[in-house]
Amino acid sequence: MNKLVPEFEKDPTNSELANKIFAFAFEGGCTDADWFIQAAQQVFESSPQYGVGYLLGVKFGQEKDFDKSKDYFIRAAELTEDNTDKAKALKQVAATERIQGNKPEAKKFALQSAEVDPTLKEEMLTLIGDMIMGSEECDKKVSQIDDRARFIAAHDYYVQAKNNSKAAQARAQFPTIGDIFTASKEEGQSVFVGCWIQKSVKLVRRPEQ
């Protein structure tokens, strides 16, 4: 490696050198060095493969270079016909978008991941429910009905995810029957939850304590 790395640093587009460095480093567990990342990028560019793309997605995520991380995960997902692998990469994109606060994109990739691999459905729908539960920025603080309908939307995702404990937490935040009466609404009436959530829900009262 003492010889290969300096040669590669002089000629970073040399795919043959990059492949040798990548193979040696991967087998030897030396995957934290900057030169390994550079070699892996060249390996991926010269011969795109799912495993290398996924690895780069993880590495750039660890370095908090989230845009590069997402790019490699998305490219990795496009390179495989294996639904488990594809969904695994899309799930990473969803998680990264959530970290960055891009909730609409996180929701989009979470749903894609669950569609490709139904075994991830419960985890991905719970993730969406969690984002909705934490979306105070969507509250206009004008109407209890409009603001608390967000929790009904979260509840719907939790129910689909079969996450009973979180569904119960969401129900505890539903509007009261008094809120519904004050707003001249009726239970069962459709309410649209805007913001990034974009979902119609049926108005339901908070369970009696």
Side-chain angles (χ1 to χ4, degrees), residues 117-184:
D117 182 0
T119 66
L120 292 178
K121 181 178 177 182
E122 293 179 11
E123 182 182 355
M124 292 294 94
L125 293 181
T126 293
L127 180 146
I128 296 171
D130 288 349
M131 289 194 298
I132 295 172
M133 286 289 284
S135 286
E136 292 86 358
E137 74 276 9
C138 291
D139 296 347
K140 296 178 181 177
K141 306 194 186 304
V142 175
S143 160
Q144 284 284 340
I145 295 300
D146 290 334
D147 290 350
R148 290 193 174 273
R150 167 165 68 85
F151 298 108
I152 301 174
H155 177 267
D156 288 352
Y157 280 108
Y158 287 143
V159 168
Q160 290 180 70
K162 300 176 183 174
N163 194 323
N164 295 331
S165 62
K166 290 199 171 185
Q169 291 173 18
R171 279 196 299 276
Q173 300 298 325
F174 282 8
T176 65
I177 188 62
D179 294 332
I180 295 171
F181 179 77
T182 301
S184 300

Side-chain angles (χ1 to χ4, degrees), residues 37-103:
I37 301 291
Q38 292 168 349
Q41 286 180 278
Q42 182 56 33
V43 168
F44 186 79
E45 294 306 324
S46 62
S47 179
Q49 299 170 40
Y50 173 86
V52 181
Y54 190 93
L55 174 70
L56 284 165
V58 171
K59 288 293 184 185
F60 282 113
Q62 290 170 343
E63 293 181 4
K64 294 185 168 46
D65 190 338
F66 296 125
D67 288 339
K68 274 189 181 177
S69 176
K70 287 185 297 189
D71 181 56
Y72 278 110
F73 281 131
I74 290 169
R75 290 166 75 183
E78 291 169 349
L79 287 168
T80 181
E81 295 302 316
D82 183 291
N83 283 350
T84 301
D85 284 342
K86 188 184 291 287
K88 184 179 167 187
L90 293 172
K91 170 185 160 182
Q92 292 288 356
V93 179
T96 306
E97 294 286 13
R98 184 186 182 186
I99 289 169
Q100 291 185 287
N102 301 329
K103 292 178 181 177

